[in-house]
């Protein structure tokens, strides 16, 4: 272990948070996890790690945790992430994402925690006018999920201007894959994300995959997204933390993607190629609120953090997602 500050990871029992915990531990950082286990899994948190079961909106619990472990940085993953659900139940998103983040940020400021990393999203851009999209593009979310995250970005900017805390908002594009060593992966029940859904179908857990829209303004008519391996994303958090610690008065807003898009058909082709057996595809109408394409300009994160993707390969992402899905099947989790 290092003499570096202890890190609190909210949502550390969830998909992306659990991979960040692994990256922090692999780098020798002390980690404490808080998770309410509504969508996370207790077994996703490594044995022996301090674990607090509870909500980030519970300021008394969070304040006690910050003091007890002398937390020096917060990585905030906890939140709700299903875009269509945010449209039908917006207040859930403004509660679990915006209001809960407000409480957490207040607890952090009160305790004097100097660094804060926030899981933001490409959904804050809405339908970008220019592709690839850079961080200066207008942020005009087209769903409550994106708006709930954008509001948190706004709070952080104001708070960092008023208090001795700096922050990094990482705007994730489409996160997929699983830990290459098989220690974690996506276990979310009722997943809606393409690669996860396709991996479930390839493992016989679904009888087909829907292709939502074949008339988009893209080369093959299906939606194009920038898929980033969850382990590369976890690494970006470590590097962001180092940058915040090195320059405590500077904050960052950075895209996390590879800068290359793949269509729904290309993703499904990769799954078929790797399993040698075609999954059933069904054409369905467009899903509400889906842009034609969403691809990151990642030059800022490369220049600012020196981040370099290591697993920038669609087949690698899909192979790791499949490996995790098979492991889940074998373990029946
Ligand atoms: C969305 C958000 C993203 C956010 C993520 C969080 C937008 C534009 N993007 O990603 O910022 O981080 O949710 O949950 O709001 N598709 C199918 N069949 C399926 C599933 C998906 O064809 O069964 C298609 C979609 O239409 C889309 C692509 O696959 O073109 C990716 O969809 P998905 O994996 O759900 O992620 P996004 O909606 O892009």
């Amino acid at each position: 272990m290092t003499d570096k500050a202890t890190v609190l990871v909210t949502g550390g029992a969830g998909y992306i948070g659990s991979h960040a915990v692994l990256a922090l531990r692999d780098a020798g950082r002390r980690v404490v996890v808080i998770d309410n286990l509504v969508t996370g899994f207790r077994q996703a948190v490594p044995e022996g790690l301090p674990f607090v079961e509870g909500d980030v909106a519970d300021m008394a619990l969070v304040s006690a945790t910050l003091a007890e472990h002398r937390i020096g940085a917060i990585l905030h993953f906890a939140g709700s992430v299903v875009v269509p659900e945010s449209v039908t139940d917006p207040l859930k998103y403004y509660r679990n994402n915006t209001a809960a983040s407000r409480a957490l940020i207040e607890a952090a400021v009160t305790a004097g925690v100097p660094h804060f990393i926030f899981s933001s999203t490409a959904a804050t851009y809405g339908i970008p006018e220019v592709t690839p999209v850079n961080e200066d593009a207008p942020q005009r979310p087209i769903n409550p999920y994106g708006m709930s995250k954008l509001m948190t970005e706004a709070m952080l900017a104001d708070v960092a201007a008023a208090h001795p805390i700096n922050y990094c908002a990482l705007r994730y594009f489409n996160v997929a894959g699983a830990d290459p060593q098989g220690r974690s992966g996506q276990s979310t029940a009722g997943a809606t994300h393409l690669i996860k859904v396709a991996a479930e179908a390839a493992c016989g857990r679904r009888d087909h995959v829907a292709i939502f829209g074949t008339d988009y303004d893209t080369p093959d008519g299906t939606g194009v997204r920038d898929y980033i391996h969850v382990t590369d994303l976890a690494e970006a958090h470590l590097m962001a933390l180092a940058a915040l610690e090195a320059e405590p008065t500077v904050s960052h807003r950075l895209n996390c993607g590879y800068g290359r898009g793949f269509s729904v058909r290309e993703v499904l082709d990769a799954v078929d190629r790797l399993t040698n057996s075609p999954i059933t595809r069904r054409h369905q109408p467009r899903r509400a609120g889906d842009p034609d394409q969403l691809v990151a300009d990642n030059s800022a994160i490369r220049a600012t953090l020196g981040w370099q993707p290591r697993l920038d390969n669609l087949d690698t992402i899909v192979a790791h997602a499949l490996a995790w899905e098979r492991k889940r099947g074998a373990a029946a989790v």
Side-chain angles (χ1 to χ4, degrees):
M1 291 289 161
T2 65
D3 57 356
K4 294 210 169 114
T6 303
V7 180
L8 178 68
V9 178
T10 80
Y15 171 47
I16 304 173
S18 66
H19 287 82
V21 168
L22 292 173
L24 287 160
R25 292 249 297 182
D26 291 348
R29 299 290 302 234
R30 282 187 302 270
V31 180
V32 177
V33 168
I34 181 167
D35 198 300
N36 63 12
L37 299 182
V38 170
T39 53
F41 296 86
R42 179 68 181 88
Q43 64 268 31
V45 181
E47 295 261 329
L49 209 79
F51 175 77
V52 179
E53 183 174 344
D55 206 288
V56 295
D58 182 343
M59 283 182 67
L61 178 68
V62 170
S63 299
T65 304
L66 297 178
E68 182 188 341
H69 296 280
R70 284 184 282 152
I71 296 296
I74 297 176
L75 270 60
H76 177 36
F77 297 91
S80 297
V81 299
V82 181
V83 172
E85 182 191 49
S86 79
V87 176
T88 55
D89 191 0
L91 291 174
K92 174 173 176 180
Y93 282 71
Y94 292 118
R95 181 186 66 232
N96 289 354
N97 295 350
T98 315
S101 295
R102 201 213 72 86
L104 177 68
I105 295 165
E106 184 175 345
V109 168
T110 305
V113 176
H115 312 298
F116 196 101
I117 297 181
F118 172 57
S119 303
S120 190
T121 170
T124 59
Y125 294 117
I127 300 178
E129 279 160 21
V130 179
T131 283
V133 58
N134 71 34
E135 289 81 355
D136 297 327
Q139 287 178 291
R140 290 189 289 248
I142 53 167
N143 51 59
Y145 167 71
M147 185 55 87
S148 72
K149 292 281 187 173
L150 180 57
M151 289 166 81
T152 303
E153 280 200 23
M155 283 192 285
L156 284 168
D158 291 341
V159 166
H163 300 285
I165 184 169
N166 65 346
Y167 76 94
C168 181
L170 293 174
R171 296 180 187 150
Y172 308 163
F173 283 65
N174 288 62
V175 188
D179 177 50
Q181 298 174 47
R183 295 171 296 176
S184 193
Q186 193 167 9
S187 303
T188 324
T192 58
H193 292 127
L194 179 64
I195 291 181
K196 171 72 176 165
V197 166
E200 287 178 357
C203 292
R205 294 211 174 97
R206 294 175 187 251
D207 60 10
H208 73 281
V209 175
I211 298 181
F212 295 133
T214 52
D215 57 350
Y216 282 108
D217 186 15
T218 58
D220 71 13
T222 67
V224 167
R225 294 291 183 275
D226 186 339
Y227 295 92
I228 173 172
H229 195 294
V230 64
T231 298
D232 274 338
L233 181 64
E235 183 74 20
H237 288 76
L238 273 188
M239 300 184 85
L241 178 58
L244 293 182
E245 289 172 335
E247 281 189 288
T249 57
V250 182
S251 293
H252 305 280
R253 293 150 296 276
L254 298 168
N255 287 342
C256 294
Y258 289 149
R260 185 148 48 105
F262 291 98
S263 72
V264 175
R265 284 205 175 100
E266 286 174 315
V267 169
L268 298 181
D269 288 347
V271 177
D272 289 353
R273 198 162 52 234
L274 285 158
T275 57
N276 241 331
S277 128
I279 40 184
T280 305
R281 308 175 182 195
R282 290 207 192 135
H283 292 171
Q284 289 192 9
R286 291 181 177 204
R287 201 172 60 175
D290 274 350
D292 302 63
Q293 55 176 317
L294 206 42
V295 177
D297 177 337
N298 66 12
S299 43
I301 189 169
R302 286 175 181 272
T304 309
L305 304 183
W307 176 76
Q308 284 193 336
R310 293 174 212 255
L311 300 162
D312 176 1
N313 182 295
L314 181 62
D315 282 19
T316 304
I317 294 174
V318 170
H320 291 163
L322 285 167
W324 176 254
E325 207 56 46
R326 292 194 188 103
K327 187 171 172 179
R328 283 184 66 228
V333 290

